[in-house]
Amino acid sequence: MKNIGREYENLDQKVYQVIKSMIENRQLLPGQKIPQEKLAAELGISRTPLISALKFLEHEKLIETKPRRGFYVRLFEIEEMISIFEIREVLEGLSARRAAQTITANQKKELQKLFKDFPVGRPIEDFQAYSKADRQFHNFIAEIGSKEFLTSILQTFNIIALAYQYPTREGLVRDPNDTIVDHHNIIEAICNHDPEGAEKLMRKHLELTIHELKTFNAQEKTGS
Amino acid sequence: MKNIGREYENLDQKVYQVIKSMIENRQLLPGQKIPQEKLAAELGISRTPLISALKFLEHEKLIETKPRRGFYVRLFEIEEMISIFEIREVLEGLSARRAAQTITANQKKELQKLFKDFPVGRPIEDFQAYSKADRQFHNFIAEIGSKEFLTSILQTFNIIALAYQYPTREGLVRDPNDTIVDHHNIIEAICNHDPEGAEKLMRKHLELTIHELKTFNAQEKTGS
DNA sequence: CTTTTGTATTTTGTATACAAAATTCATTAT
DNA sequence: ATAATGAATTTTGTATACAAAATACAAAAG
């Protein structure tokens, strides 16, 4: 008989996770060069699996390779961020639609719990906690209705959106006191098994972020 | 002064292209194991850049890694194909919309040339040529309106769609004599700078493919 | 004959080695 | 002082080496 259940994980997959979270919580900053030898030593491995992981991350656009110059943490221009949010708009619209079609009773409970500390009306103060809930919200919806495929694409975008921190609020573009309403509405549509509504609301939600980004970009260009 | 224009390309990037096209034109078949030593020898390189390229392709889901077992050309289930086409539907809808907004006079000419050998009404015979034009069509629209980001995602899906060849026609799901009408309509909408129409038509176009796939899948399950 | 066990062979994952390229930095020239 | 030059140092890209794991296959047991 064959031993199928074995869960072996290569070093590069572990390193991949480590670097990903280092980018996520800003231990590695956008634009920064990756010191291969140093980082490998720190992680207690050789350069081989590290490079392997970096190659993998290159494809997620979290890392950029400059041949003969090394690996760099990707730095996004605002135009690129707009383009990324446009992709998110249609993809997350899809995942909201699918979620509304397939959500189970247990998943409903979990989804409704996410923003329980942020009821509509009460002003939001803890931006960091809200930012975290926001991320969980988008990830969870992706997971409910989608095959592994879509989930992994969306997770990448999520990290990019996060990595591109805004000077003002903790990784958030729009004011939480505005977005909280969207979130509650989307959750309601999904829990009511309303695919069309869920898709429309999710797209609107992200469309407003895009609008905000475009405004910000226009301001930058004219000179703050 | 710094020498910026230098175009150096690592070996793994070249190998990446080679393997990609090997999968595209079926020299490597879905499900097949990649013989590392042998392939490296054939390409006249060591295993290092080969593995690097395979890692890269793993992320595009063209290659699957089974730890301690090696690399395999990815084999897609029909459910996964349906999921992929759902993603294509919304993403290509977006790229059609953007294309309609930004297309230039020269791009219009090029786009209109693509199906000049396949006028509406005349029955299509050369499926291979049509399949090629189809691919160019989708790639070109992606390139017109999108940043590098979306283009690279869509290209991946395109290859997957192709790699999953249908037993009947050359990588095509729907009958070319039906799809040719869609293609001409989408081109018209884009050239008339009609973003809403272009998006709607493109989504409809892919929605029909999804429907076809679902029907096919249902038949398979009941027993041919 | 089929299944199990044990051994030989191949393949994988990772470390290490090393030439070629890039970077640093002190030195000289402008 | 600034720019140019060129060794000394570091880093990169790739090959090679090798232990550990997987596979293939032959012999033994049921």
Side-chain angles (χ1 to χ4, degrees), chain A residues 55-78:
Chain A
K55 277 267 141 61
F56 212 82
L57 283 158
E58 186 190 350
H59 215 272
E60 290 188 6
K61 314 280 181 195
L62 288 176
I63 292 288
E64 182 180 13
T65 309
K66 301 184 186 173
R68 277 278 166 213
R69 298 270 158 83
F71 295 95
Y72 293 79
V73 181
R74 188 80 140 78
L75 184 70
F76 291 96
E77 301 298 320
I78 196 156

Side-chain angles (χ1 to χ4, degrees), chain A residues 28 112 158 178 180 188:
Chain A
L28 290 171
Q112 279 157 340
N158 238 287
D178 295 336
I180 186 65
E188 201 188 330

Side-chain angles (χ1 to χ4, degrees), chain A:
Chain A
M1 200 184 321
K2 208 162 264 181
N3 191 352
I4 305 176
R6 273 278 281 72
E7 270 310 331
Y8 176 85
E9 204 182 25
N10 291 347
L11 262 183
D12 46 27
Q13 281 304 308
K14 286 178 204 159
V15 177
Y16 162 78
Q17 291 296 347
V18 172
I19 298 176
K20 208 164 161 177
S21 71
M22 283 175 90
I23 294 173
E24 206 168 336
N25 33 306
R26 322 213 102 214
Q27 293 168 278
L28 290 171
L29 293 169
Q32 191 187 324
K33 180 170 178 174
I34 307 276
Q36 291 182 24
E37 202 77 56
K38 195 162 165 284
L39 188 54
E42 265 171 43
L43 299 170
I45 53 164
S46 80
R47 274 172 60 220
T48 310
L50 174 63
I51 290 170
S52 202
L54 290 169
K55 277 267 141 61
F56 212 82
L57 283 158
E58 186 190 350
H59 215 272
E60 290 188 6
K61 314 280 181 195
L62 288 176
I63 292 288
E64 182 180 13
T65 309
K66 301 184 186 173
R68 277 278 166 213
R69 298 270 158 83
F71 295 95
Y72 293 79
V73 181
R74 188 80 140 78
L75 184 70
F76 291 96
E77 301 298 320
I78 196 156
E79 278 91 354
E80 279 178 297
M81 285 306 292
I82 292 170
S83 170
I84 286 163
F85 270 88
E86 283 177 347
I87 298 172
R88 278 187 74 181
E89 183 191 324
V90 297
L91 285 181
E92 300 219 19
L94 168 63
S95 73
R97 170 154 48 103
R98 306 233 63 218
Q101 286 165 342
T102 66
I103 194 167
T104 65
N106 276 342
Q107 288 173 327
K108 278 185 197 175
K109 271 185 212 151
E110 211 172 321
L111 189 57
Q112 279 157 340
K113 239 185 282 173
L114 281 177
F115 289 102
K116 71 168 166 25
D117 293 338
F118 307 100
V120 185
R122 166 137 56 87
I124 293 159
E125 272 153 19
D126 188 346
F127 287 160
Q128 193 148 9
Y130 185 77
S131 172
K132 195 182 164 196
D134 187 7
R135 224 180 325 154
Q136 286 176 326
F137 169 75
H138 287 281
N139 280 336
F140 191 62
I141 291 175
E143 274 165 32
I144 293 172
S146 331
K147 294 267 173 334
E148 171 234 341
F149 223 111
L150 183 51
T151 314
S152 80
I153 295 173
L154 285 174
Q155 250 166 17
T156 305
F157 287 131
N158 238 287
I159 291 173
I160 292 171
L162 186 84
Y164 190 89
Q165 301 269 4
Y166 256 65
T168 47
R169 292 178 290 268
E170 186 63 39
L172 296 163
V173 180
R174 289 171 63 204
D175 188 324
N177 294 295
D178 295 336
T179 57
I180 186 65
V181 186
D182 295 1
H183 288 145
H184 283 294
N185 287 340
I186 294 167
I187 290 172
E188 201 188 330
I190 292 175
C191 292
N192 287 339
H193 301 279
D194 171 13
E196 300 305 314
E199 178 172 18
K200 203 169 281 180
L201 287 166
M202 182 63 98
R203 287 186 67 150
K204 191 77 199 162
H205 175 61
L206 287 157
E207 205 188 304
L208 288 170
T209 302
I210 292 171
H211 183 257
E212 200 93 338
L213 283 169
K214 282 184 179 167
T215 310
F216 183 82
N217 193 27
Q219 283 174 353
E220 289 258 297
K221 274 187 182 159
T222 57
S224 191

